Amino acid sequence: MRILLIEDDSLIGDGTKAGLTKLGFNVDWFSDGKQGYHALSAAPYDAVVLDLSLPEMDGLDILAQWRKTGADIPVLILTARDALEQRVEGLRCGADDYLCKPFALTEVGARLQALIRRRYGQLQPQLRHGEVTLDPAAHTVTVGGEALAVKPRELALLELFMRNPGRVLTRTQLEEKLYSWDDDVSSNAVEVHIHHLRKKLGSDFIRTVHGVGYTLGPGG
């Protein structure tokens, strides 16, 4: 899942990006408020981690403008430990959740997973399709109860398909979810990952819709 991180503190921003990446998220980090505000419309993000005290554009102003224009992206606010008024104001402006600094990255990851589940209308923490079960938080995949070894990109791609059953996803959409601005993406990277997943899950698990993209096959 692709995350937009807007945080001006270089230590917190760098650590948060690195930690969330290790947890399986695809993260774009901006330290400037205005750049972060405009970034939301430049990529298909699944959630935002937003600091409140930012240069150029305040975090509450960013959030208020997003909500005013109809952006329904889940937003997790980061705020100072004693900033009760800011937390309350953030929730009033449309934030979905907040965390006080300092925070544990595992909690940030868990809260983001919960926000993303709600956005996709999925109440259970695990994703299931036929015999396949994927646990995004634990980064595990099982088939008929047996553990399956998958690489990080394969797991991210599988999660994307399983969160969008019945939907045809184009190669561009898949690339935009799997890779951040900093990644160097080869022209056939998505096809290679799909090929590997088909070898592990069966050739019909991911169907090709010729001229359009890919979608999940029958659940079995």
Side-chain angles (χ1 to χ4, degrees), residues 158-174:
L158 181 59
E159 179 182 354
L160 186 54
F161 279 117
M162 293 179 71
R163 288 198 186 276
N164 293 275
R167 181 182 173 191
V168 178
L169 301 171
T170 67
R171 188 178 76 172
T172 298
Q173 288 174 322
L174 296 172

Side-chain angles (χ1 to χ4, degrees), residues 5-9 12 16 48-54 58-60 63 75-91 95 97-104 108 111:
L5 169 64
I6 310 177
E7 166 63 63
D8 70 320
D9 185 295
I12 295 176
T16 302
V48 178
V49 179
L50 176 65
D51 186 26
L52 293 183
S53 300
L54 295 165
D58 181 75
L60 288 178
L63 180 57
V75 175
L76 170 63
I77 281 182
L78 301 181
T79 184
R81 181 184 297 275
D82 59 352
L84 175 60
E85 291 184 2
Q86 281 192 327
R87 297 201 301 269
V88 171
E89 185 62 22
L91 293 171
D97 200 357
Y98 69 84
L99 269 177
C100 294
K101 299 177 182 179
F103 49 81
V108 177
R111 287 176 182 259

Side-chain angles (χ1 to χ4, degrees), residues 12-24:
I12 295 176
D14 187 59
T16 302
K17 178 177 180 177
L20 290 179
T21 300
K22 287 183 179 179
L23 291 174

Side-chain angles (χ1 to χ4, degrees), residues 146-191:
E146 297 293 326
L148 179 71
V150 292
K151 295 181 179 179
R153 294 286 190 201
E154 295 169 4
L155 188 144
L157 183 61
L158 181 59
E159 179 182 354
L160 186 54
F161 279 117
M162 293 179 71
R163 288 198 186 276
N164 293 275
R167 181 182 173 191
V168 178
L169 301 171
T170 67
R171 188 178 76 172
T172 298
Q173 288 174 322
L174 296 172
E175 287 178 345
E176 287 178 338
K177 288 287 191 179
L178 289 177
Y179 300 98
S180 69
W181 299 115
D182 298 331
D183 292 322
D184 184 17
V185 187
S186 63
S187 60
N188 67 335
V190 167
E191 286 82 358

Side-chain angles (χ1 to χ4, degrees), residues 40 59 70 144:
L40 185 65

